[in-house]
Amino acid sequence: MSALAHVPAPSGTPSQLREGMGSRSLRNTTLVLAARILSRLVALLTVGLMTGYLLAQDYGRFQLLVTVSGLVTVVLDLGFNTLFTREAARRPAEISRYLGNMIPVRLIFAPLALLAFALALWPLDLAQFLLPGFVLMLVTSFSNLLRGALYAVQRLAFEAVAIVAESLILIALVLFGIRTKQALPFFLWAYAASYGFSCVYFALVLRLRGLARLELHFEPQLIRRWLWAGLPFALTLVITGIYFKIDQPILKAMRGFTEAGWYGAAYKPFEALLFVPLSMLNVVFPALAVHHREGTGQVGWAVNRFYKALLLLGWPATVGLFLLTDAFRVIYQYPEATPALRILSLGVVFMFISTAFTGALNAIDRQALFTVAALGSMVVNVACNLILIPLYGYLGASAATVLTEAALSLLGAGLVFRHLGRMPLFRLSWRVLLAGLVMGAALYPFQHRTGVTALLVIAGGALVYGLALLVLRALDEQEWALVRRALGRTS
């Protein structure tokens, strides 16, 4: 696979730059998505096994612990992960130096993160899970840092291997835990073990492939500069963590662990789809950052294509999940989770397209503005949860999530329009939206099918959607050219 590390600076005309980087990003996106799809199928099977084994209140505890871990992890990450990927993509020769500084900083802040985690778990009656929860937080943080180096240099075949291996290790441990009738803490250790494997794997790949030397450094000047530059990213992590996860603590406080378990089970298929836009963003983000640094004038063009690609995948996911909610019962087990998942499905398309605006603002060094958008979305989320959960319980939490994703999309789009110019959203979107509605009409008569029949219905819906895209000419000449180049070259 061609690596940015082997290319000191992009050269050629703007047209050649956008074609080369566009096709490379598309190939890498396809590779990572294929691995993520396999991984998520295994992960969803894992969730189905766990929800079938654990009582709803125990699964609620598990989900709440993972949620709190995600909120506290910002104390470890400090916004450095995104900053590291961006700067490493722009200056690949400095990857070893950057990693060497980030690792000791993370270790220095680990005790503070442990204290914050303990203080957060105590009022939620989860303090007994402090140790496995903290180890899970720590290994996840280091795994994400190390994999960022591979995204920066676009060496994503190694990432694809790690993605699949993580999921296989996890499901093997979960099956062992169920067979031996283990208690809840065992499953936290199982998740920690899968990410621990990734840490070792990434460290070996970076070293053996000559991509980075894992030698510890401590440069106060660099760290101070990055602390300041990473502050918007850190604030954004806190804010987005709150608006993604605050519903679980509020729901637990107002309705108890059982409803939190129902909501957590419904949220899993919704959350599982998040890997698609995030995987695409991880691949496209370094390319956008390089475009911006080199002044190619192609950032707007790339963001338009990225938005359309996200809509192409997010809109059919919304339509299909809304109509075929019953087909996914094998994942979430609890019947009470069905209406919550149907509501959450309406937010999938917003979750996808908002990623385009997130990536654009961060890539053009406007991360502070995205922090503003995230802050506005957090206010919407907290307000909606406080209003809707007392009235409608876990269904209200589902509605609050949808409203938040819509708010973030609107705010993000407005900020991107301000700095990159107005995007032709109608022209980019209408054919895709119409193709999704055609697919929905084909799926509607079969919406209550389950089991193997449901899989056939899903496959048929995908075929109808693809044909509708072709008939409506949803992809233009440049987009087809990108696809042909991506499929026609090896990476």
Side-chain angles (χ1 to χ4, degrees):
M1 183 178 295
S2 300
L4 275 172
H6 300 154
V7 186
S11 61
T13 66
S15 177
Q16 291 169 332
L17 278 171
R18 77 183 187 186
E19 288 176 1
M21 296 186 77
S23 57
R24 185 188 305 124
S25 295
L26 182 57
R27 290 197 307 276
N28 286 330
T29 299
T30 303
L31 175 66
V32 173
L33 278 180
R36 288 283 183 193
I37 288 170
L38 177 59
S39 168
R40 289 302 170 177
L41 289 174
V42 177
L44 290 174
L45 176 59
T46 303
V47 172
L49 292 169
M50 289 180 62
T51 54
Y53 174 72
L54 298 173
L55 297 175
Q57 51 265 47
D58 285 334
Y59 191 72
R61 289 183 176 89
F62 174 83
Q63 279 297 109
L64 187 56
L65 187 79
V66 172
T67 295
V68 174
S69 171
L71 290 171
V72 176
T73 194
V74 70
V75 180
L76 275 175
D77 294 347
L78 300 171
F80 284 163
N81 282 358
T82 305
L83 186 63
F84 166 70
T85 302
R86 188 184 76 185
E87 296 305 310
R90 291 174 174 177
R91 301 172 183 85
E94 298 289 334
I95 289 179
S96 296
R97 177 192 173 207
Y98 294 157
L99 270 178
N101 278 277
M102 293 302 99
I103 292 172
V105 167
R106 204 147 295 198
L107 292 173
I108 289 170
F109 279 88
L112 183 59
L114 177 61
L115 177 61
F117 194 42
L119 292 175
L121 293 182
W122 179 69
L124 296 173
D125 194 26
L126 293 171
Q128 66 269 35
F129 305 116
L130 174 62
L131 181 59
F134 177 70
V135 173
L136 174 58
M137 182 199 309
L138 197 63
V139 294
T140 302
S141 176
F142 276 102
S143 173
N144 289 336
L145 176 66
L146 293 172
R147 77 196 325 142
L150 295 178
Y151 280 98
V153 298
Q154 300 285 281
R155 300 295 294 268
L156 298 184
F158 300 112
E159 162 70 337
V161 172
I163 289 168
V164 175
E166 282 174 358
S167 61
L168 294 177
I169 290 170
L170 177 62
I171 195 169
L173 291 172
V174 167
L175 284 168
F176 175 80
I178 292 172
R179 185 177 182 84
T180 56
K181 299 185 176 357
Q182 298 291 328
L184 180 57
F186 174 87
F187 298 98
L188 293 167
W189 287 113
Y191 274 83
S194 69
Y195 285 107
F197 159 81
S198 294
C199 290
V200 175
Y201 171 80
F202 289 134
L204 289 173
V205 166
L206 292 172
R207 177 62 179 168
L208 296 177
R209 302 298 295 186
L211 300 174
R213 298 182 307 277
L214 299 182
E215 300 171 352
L216 298 184
H217 302 275
F218 193 81
E219 302 174 46
Q221 188 174 9
L222 173 68
I223 293 168
R224 281 196 300 270
R225 188 169 70 248
W226 276 36
L227 278 170
W228 180 253
L231 182 60
F233 292 122
L235 290 174
T236 301
L237 282 172
V238 172
I239 293 166
T240 54
I242 290 173
Y243 84 66
F244 263 120
K245 302 175 183 297
I246 196 63
D247 45 11
Q248 284 275 353
I250 294 176
L251 189 56
K252 184 269 173 184
M254 293 184 172
R255 296 287 185 135
F257 280 119
T258 298
E259 284 204 29
W262 294 339
Y263 176 72
Y267 196 81
K268 271 300 177 182
F270 172 82
E271 185 182 37
L273 289 170
L274 184 60
F275 85 90
V276 178
L278 287 185
S279 298
M280 295 171 71
L281 176 62
N282 287 338
V283 174
V284 173
F285 177 69
L288 291 176
V290 172
H291 271 313
H292 177 66
R293 187 196 68 173
E294 297 299 324
T296 64
Q298 302 304 315
V299 176
W301 176 89
V303 171
N304 286 349
R305 288 326 190 253
F306 187 31
Y307 163 84
K308 188 171 181 180
L310 289 164
L311 184 66
L312 275 165
L313 297 174
W315 176 235
T318 284
V319 174
L321 192 57
F322 181 82
L323 291 174
L324 302 176
T325 306
D326 288 339
F328 298 94
R329 178 75 64 82
V330 66
I331 297 171
Y332 53 84
Q333 299 292 324
Y334 313 127
E336 295 85 355
T338 300
L341 179 57
R342 184 164 284 117
I343 295 170
L344 286 168
S345 68
L346 301 175
V348 170
V349 66
F350 297 113
M351 177 175 70
F352 273 61
I353 64 174
S354 65
T355 307
F357 309 129
T358 303
L361 292 171
N362 287 338
I364 64 173
D365 301 326
R366 299 286 181 176
Q367 55 264 28
L369 290 178
F370 176 67
T371 302
V372 173
L375 180 61
S377 300
M378 183 193 74
V379 172
V380 170
N381 184 259
V382 172
C384 288
N385 275 301
L386 291 176
I387 293 169
L388 296 176
I389 287 178
L391 295 174
Y392 305 107
Y394 70 109
L395 299 181
S398 303
T401 296
V402 174
L403 293 172
T404 302
E405 292 297 332
L408 180 60
S409 297
L410 290 173
L411 289 169
L415 292 172
V416 169
F417 292 174
R418 178 180 171 186
H419 291 279
L420 291 178
R422 186 168 294 276
M423 294 171 60
L425 292 182
F426 180 78
R427 179 172 59 81
L428 292 170
S429 305
W430 75 266
R431 288 181 174 87
V432 176
L433 296 176
L434 184 56
L437 293 177
V438 171
M439 182 194 78
L443 291 177
Y444 182 78
F446 308 100
Q447 60 181 309
H448 298 299
R449 299 299 174 92
T450 58
V452 176
T453 306
L455 295 177
L456 296 175
V457 171
I458 292 170
L463 179 61
V464 170
Y465 180 64
L467 291 174
L469 290 174
L470 288 173
V471 171
L472 293 167
R473 297 184 178 180
L475 297 182
D476 62 26
E477 297 270 341
Q478 286 183 325
E479 290 156 353
W480 278 118
L482 277 175
V483 172
R484 285 193 295 270
R485 280 193 299 273
L487 296 177
R489 295 193 217 159
T490 58
S491 49

